[in-house]
Amino acid sequence: MRFRTSVLLAGVLAVSHVGPAAAQDRITFVVDMTFYGDNTEFFNPWRDGETLLGTEGRLFLDIDLDEHVMLRAGLFGNHRFGDDHNFENVRPVLALHGLASSANWYDLVAPYLQSQHRVIAPDQRGHGQTSQATNGYDWQSLTSDAVGLLDHLGISRASVFGHSWGATVALNLAVRF
């Protein structure tokens, strides 16, 4: 958050040194709203017959600092309408991070996936907020951890992807389960 705030302040300071007429030519304010409905009366292995409604919005400011450099600052939001039961049945995606990383690896991607998927991005064994286990870093144990998490959440089917080390866990999960 500190980085974004600094960039935004730097952009505002840069604009304040430009004359009013020139600043109007260099600043673009964009609002993008999407309303969506997903009716699943047709075959869908994850949901059964409900209609899911939602909205997604982007708000950002583009500042052309010169002909080669543009500063962009903005917000992204997504909101689903309906009850929690419908959200629990949205297509689950298990996102597994790489070695020496954490679930935060997917913080920038998750908002884009959440309009159609329930994103589950856990810290894998010995990473992020988990304890530092002395063993269990073999592929079978890591894969069993992922399956155990899905079982605990009551998820019998999910799309799984991973980055680097997490991709190997995802591949093992596909092969073994």
Side-chain angles (χ1 to χ4, degrees), residues 22-158:
Q24 289 175 355
D25 293 336
R26 295 179 158 190
I27 298 173
T28 307
F29 185 69
V30 180
V31 177
D32 180 13
M33 294 292 290
T34 303
F35 296 94
Y36 57 87
D38 183 3
N39 189 324
T40 59
E41 291 178 15
F42 301 105
F43 175 75
N44 183 324
W46 287 278
R47 298 197 303 261
D48 186 26
E50 86 278 2
T51 299
L52 184 69
L53 300 174
T55 185
E56 178 178 282
R58 294 182 304 160
L59 171 81
F60 53 92
L61 183 67
D62 288 342
I63 304 170
D64 292 323
L65 299 178
D66 62 32
E67 64 186 59
H68 302 289
V69 179
M70 179 183 70
L71 176 67
R72 173 172 279 179
L75 301 169
F76 173 82
N78 185 24
H79 180 73
R80 241 185 270 283
F81 302 100
D83 60 24
D84 289 339
H85 170 73
N86 289 346
F87 179 70
E88 295 302 318
N89 291 321
V90 173
R91 296 179 203 116
V93 172
L94 180 62
L96 302 171
H97 62 77
L99 185 64
S101 188
S102 71
N104 293 349
W105 178 262
Y106 294 105
D107 286 352
L108 295 176
V109 176
Y112 294 101
L113 296 172
Q114 288 174 340
S115 65
Q116 297 295 320
H117 303 280
R118 176 182 177 198
V119 179
I120 303 154
D123 286 328
Q124 293 192 77
R125 183 184 294 244
H127 292 78
Q129 300 296 314
T130 67
S131 60
Q132 301 297 311
T134 57
N135 58 21
Y137 294 95
D138 58 285
W139 300 122
Q140 181 60 40
S141 296
L142 296 166
T143 303
S144 294
D145 289 348
V147 170
L149 173 62
L150 294 174
D151 287 346
H152 175 74
L153 296 173
I155 298 171
S156 60
R157 257 185 101 157

